Amino acid sequence: MLIEINLLQKKEPKKKAILFYILFLVVITLILGIALFSQYREVTTDIKSIDQQLTAIQIEQKEFETNTKTESPTVQKINELKTFTDIAKSNQLDTVDLLTRLSKLLPTESYFTDFQLSGNVMNVTVHIQKEMDAAFYYRHLLNESWIENVILEQVVANRTGEEETENQLSTYVASYKIMIDRMTLKELQKEASE
């Protein structure tokens, strides 16, 4: 019987499993590190873009606030115009009734060639047949209660021929400036409508 004595220690087989496990952990750690680093970069770029958007929104908000402060006078102007138009509507005259009243006073064979109303002043141009009709119309206008004052600005003769004879003067044009009393005229218009 032979006995073998080996004084050398027996080598333990290398544990490949531990090496493989350590390598696996290093690879996983690297993958996780890369993933976390990419997520970190993505989050930081998102934060930067959100910060930029936030500053842009804050700038727009400041501009809007300054615009609303500067538009405040514009809103005031709009309100002033609205009140002015409301007042103008309340002071509005019935021009048809006004023209009817003026035309009733016209001499026969006379008619209006121009009519302008601005505030309480009317400029009226009348085409008449005789020079005396201008004076009669002037007198009739002065007698009306709703007329404050009348100015006969001019009477111009329309000549039909080159020679100045009385037979060739066919018509005249008279211009009047009439100041009206709106309150009295409105009262008369209300009475006429009732």
Side-chain angles (χ1 to χ4, degrees):
M1 192 71 172
L2 243 148
I3 301 186
E4 269 183 54
I5 297 180
N6 188 1
L7 294 174
L8 291 176
Q9 285 186 348
K10 218 179 186 181
K11 286 187 176 179
E12 289 184 22
K14 289 185 180 178
K15 295 185 180 177
K16 290 184 179 179
I18 292 177
L19 187 62
F20 180 72
Y21 181 70
I22 292 173
L23 184 65
F24 179 74
L25 284 177
V26 168
V27 170
I28 293 292
T29 307
L30 280 174
I31 290 173
L32 284 174
I34 291 171
L36 287 175
F37 182 72
S38 67
Q39 285 292 325
Y40 171 76
R41 289 195 58 143
E42 187 176 320
V43 167
T44 55
T45 56
D46 286 347
I47 288 173
K48 286 180 183 177
S49 69
I50 289 172
D51 283 341
Q52 290 174 349
Q53 290 176 356
L54 179 66
T55 56
I57 289 172
Q58 288 173 342
I59 290 170
E60 287 179 9
Q61 183 180 12
K62 288 179 182 176
E63 288 176 359
F64 178 74
E65 288 173 357
T66 57
N67 285 344
T68 55
K69 288 178 183 175
T70 57
E71 287 181 13
S72 178
T74 308
V75 172
Q76 289 174 348
K77 288 180 183 177
I78 290 172
N79 289 337
E80 287 175 8
L81 287 174
K82 185 178 179 186
T83 35
F84 179 74
T85 55
D86 291 342
I87 290 170
K89 283 181 183 178
S90 67
N91 289 337
Q92 188 175 9
L93 288 176
D94 185 8
T95 52
V96 174
D97 180 62
L98 184 63
L99 284 171
T100 304
R101 290 177 186 276
L102 288 174
S103 62
K104 284 181 182 177
L105 302 174
L106 279 174
T108 56
E109 299 180 10
S110 299
Y111 55 90
F112 295 114
T113 58
D114 188 30
F115 174 81
Q116 295 175 352
L117 177 62
S118 176
N120 291 341
V121 178
M122 284 187 301
N123 292 319
V124 179
T125 306
V126 180
H127 189 263
I128 54 178
Q129 294 297 321
K130 300 174 189 169
E131 194 172 15
M132 287 300 294
D133 289 342
F136 287 124
Y137 189 57
Y138 174 80
R139 193 71 199 148
H140 287 300
L141 289 172
L142 279 178
N143 289 336
E144 289 295 312
S145 62
W146 54 274
I147 295 178
E148 292 178 350
N149 193 13
V150 179
I151 299 171
L152 178 58
E153 292 181 328
Q154 67 179 355
V155 177
V156 179
N158 288 335
R159 301 188 189 281
T160 56
E162 294 179 10
E163 297 179 20
E164 295 183 16
T165 61
E166 194 172 313
N167 294 338
Q168 291 177 337
L169 295 176
S170 62
T171 58
Y172 295 90
V173 176
S175 297
Y176 298 92
K177 187 177 216 175
I178 305 168
M179 279 60 90
I180 61 173
D181 181 7
R182 284 182 175 262
M183 299 305 286
T184 308
L185 184 60
K186 280 189 173 188
E187 290 173 10
L188 291 172
Q189 288 174 347
K190 283 181 184 177
E191 289 175 6
S193 66
E194 292 175 356

